[in-house]
């Protein structure tokens, strides 16, 4: 094995560009691992962890590019590093370059701007965000790894200035019909929604759209907003704004359970709200809270959608999703094809909220599930790469996304995991999610299609049958075309549902008598 | 003070996109007024130097 690296002084690139270079270099024959990173302290530590260090790395600055290669032979290392300029050039040619490099440059071009969108490394967010607030701009901060004290300071400052900070770690918002970040093409309508999770908001807005209704605004708050450290500053501002917004008739909030103190304050606020509120706190038991008539508690996103629709004059229906008779029959039929040793479920998720909600639904059915992001810490996997019995993996977790693209953007890590899970003879079911919309992969099903076929074929050759269940979060209007993605899945023999909760419920039915 | 959060929900968005270009492109596809900033860390990313520069400005 041979290791080598080069450092390029003052060559700064964004993370998407770096991942593109990484992918290109890693495709060379004989390469075991590559790392293409800016020399931040965190990245230098990452390199040290995989055995790459040296005085030049210690003294490298955050604007310096480090390219490291671990390969089978020194010749391969030399070839890959020798071809670096060509790889950089080939990718640079595809990218348009802006001559604007600072917030002030942007403001000079658009002095009437009212929102700044930040996707810069977390350690620089506080300074840039504070400057934007001082200039009178609200913020959408996609960046993660922003210290919680900095988040609180930014949100307090914003509240003082009557501005909004969506994020940090905010994946999705839709303001007045405009999707920001990972978002779908959604009709405008009467439902306002607030939430810390991008995929939670995508699932709610897509289901509202697909049911023939629309969204006034979907306000992402960032994943820490409802913790007691932040106290829901953005969520409360969003509630006030949606209550005052003439288009919004019903307000929904979709989140993991808030901090205890924040939850109590939220409930008190819900009771004072002049509009109906539907809350969905995934994984929480809300029996002990009295919300009053205008507040509906739900525990799945699907139930929240049904409850919200009821408030605009639809005939009252049960707000609890169920499987149809045909779906239950399909489950029995699928189970009959399994070999005797096939017993376990493996879920491989691009959306963290889908991993979480699936655990909740399976847990309620009495099915014990292990995970790298468990609802119950007792069932945390010792090694996220090694599944145990029923296992659900959040493939968007940091373990899988450091220096690699998120599974919503690129299917490589999920493709590899589908293959490794299907080699385990005890596996009977794979549960997957596919997320469409702006900024997501342009062909999420296509990226996994061959792996799905191959996995099914492999299990069939061993005398069994691999049941693959999937949900798609998207709309017909999305660039990836919902109908096309769904058709591809069905062609590959996948059982497809329009929601993650339904897909998880179907898995409960599959595993019922195992 | 006027509530700019309520205004943000009613006004046309005018966005400064700092960082990943894909986010700006998806906004352009929706015909939103957006300007792309290819942000780079100031002062070579040296936090102490950034502090000094900010105090000078």
């Amino acid at each position: 094995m041979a290791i080598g690296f080069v450092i390029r002084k003052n060559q700064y690139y964004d993370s998407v560009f770096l991942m593109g270079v990484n992918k290109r270099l890693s495709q060379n024959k004989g390469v075991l691992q590559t790392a293409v990173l800016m020399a931040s302290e965190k990245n230098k530590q990452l390199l040290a962890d995989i055995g790459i260090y040296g005085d030049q790395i210690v003294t490298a600055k955050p604007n310096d590019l480090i390219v490291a290669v671990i390969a089978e032979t020194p010749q391969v290392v030399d070839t890959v590093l020798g071809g670096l300029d060509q790889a950089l050039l080939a990718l640079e040619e595809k990218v348009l370059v802006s001559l604007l490099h600072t917030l002030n440059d942007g403001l000079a071009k658009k002095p009437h701007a009212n929102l700044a969108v930040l996707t810069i490394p977390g350690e620089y967010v506080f300074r840039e965000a504070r400057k934007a607030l001082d200039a009178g701009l609200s913020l959408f901060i996609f960046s993660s790894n922003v210290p919680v004290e900095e988040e609180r300071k930014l949100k307090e400052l914003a509240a003082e200035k009557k501005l909004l900070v969506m994020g940090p770690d905010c994946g999705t918002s839709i303001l007045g019909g405009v999707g920001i970040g990972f978002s779908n093409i959604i009709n405008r309508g009467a439902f306002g929604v607030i939430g810390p999770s991008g995929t939670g908001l995508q699932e709610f807005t897509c289901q509202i759209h697909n049911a023939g209704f629309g969204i006034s605004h979907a306000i992402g708050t960032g994943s820490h907003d409802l913790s007691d450290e932040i106290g829901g500053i953005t969520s409360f501002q969003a509630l006030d704004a949606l209550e005052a917004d003439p288009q919004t008739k019903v307000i929904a909030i979709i989140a993991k359970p808030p901090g205890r103190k924040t939850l109590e304050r939220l409930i008190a606020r819900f009771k004072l709200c002049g509009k109906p509120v539907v809350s969905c706190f995934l994984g929480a038991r809300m029996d002990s809270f009295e919300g009053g008539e205008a507040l509906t508690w739900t525990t799945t996103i699907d139930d929240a959608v049904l409850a919200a629709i009821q408030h605009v004059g639809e005939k009252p229906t049960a707000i609890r999703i169920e499987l149809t008779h045909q779906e239950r029959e399909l489950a029995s039929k699928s189970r009959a094809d399994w070999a005797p040793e096939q017993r376990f479920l493996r879920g491989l998720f691009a959306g963290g909220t889908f991993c979480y909600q699936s655990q909740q639904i399976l847990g309620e059915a009495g099915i014990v599930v292990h995970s790298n992001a468990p609802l119950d810490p007792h069932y945390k996997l010792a090694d996220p790469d090694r599944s145990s019995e029923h296992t659900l993996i959040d493939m968007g977790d940091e373990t899988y996304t450091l220096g690699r693209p998120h599974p919503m953007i690129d299917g490589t890590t999920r493709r590899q995991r589908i293959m490794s899970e299907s080699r385990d003879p005890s596996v009977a079911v794979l549960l997957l999610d596919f997320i469409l919309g702006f900024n997501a992969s342009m062909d999420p099903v296509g990226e996994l299609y061959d792996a799905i076929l191959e996995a099914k074929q492999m299990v069939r050759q061993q005398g069994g049958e691999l049941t693959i269940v999937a949900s798609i979060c998207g709309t017909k209007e999305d660039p990836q075309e919902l109908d096309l993605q769904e058709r591809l899945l069905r062609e590959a023999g996948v059982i497809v549902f329009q929601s993650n909760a339904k897909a998880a419920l179907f898995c409960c039915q599959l595993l019922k008598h195992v | 003070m006027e509530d700019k959060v309520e205004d943000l929900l009613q006004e046309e968005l005018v966005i400064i996109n700092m960082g990943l270009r894909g986010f700006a492109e998806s906004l352009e596809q929706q015909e939103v007024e957006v300007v792309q900033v290819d942000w780079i860390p100031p002062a070579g990313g040296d936090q102490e130097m950034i502090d000094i520069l900010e105090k000078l400005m």
Side-chain angles (χ1 to χ4, degrees), chain A residues 200-264:
Chain A
L201 289 180
Q202 283 189 270
E203 181 83 333
F204 183 87
T205 55
C206 286
Q207 286 194 38
I208 287 284
H209 174 101
N210 293 337
F213 298 89
I215 294 290
S216 55
H217 310 281
I219 303 177
T221 62
S223 59
H224 306 295
D225 190 65
L226 290 172
S227 67
D228 284 338
E229 288 89 349
I230 304 295
I233 297 172
T234 303
S235 301
F236 281 99
Q237 285 181 292
L239 260 169
D240 292 345
L242 290 178
E243 190 179 20
D245 173 53
Q247 280 91 41
T248 304
K249 306 295 179 214
V250 181
I251 301 169
I253 181 161
I254 311 285
K256 288 182 191 173
R260 185 81 197 176
K261 284 186 203 157
T262 308
L263 178 61
E264 282 169 10

Side-chain angles (χ1 to χ4, degrees), chain A residues 391-405:
Chain A
T391 293
L392 302 186
I393 300 288
D394 175 3
M395 303 285 300
D397 188 79
E398 217 181 31
T399 327
Y400 297 104
T401 51
L402 272 176
R404 285 188 287 187

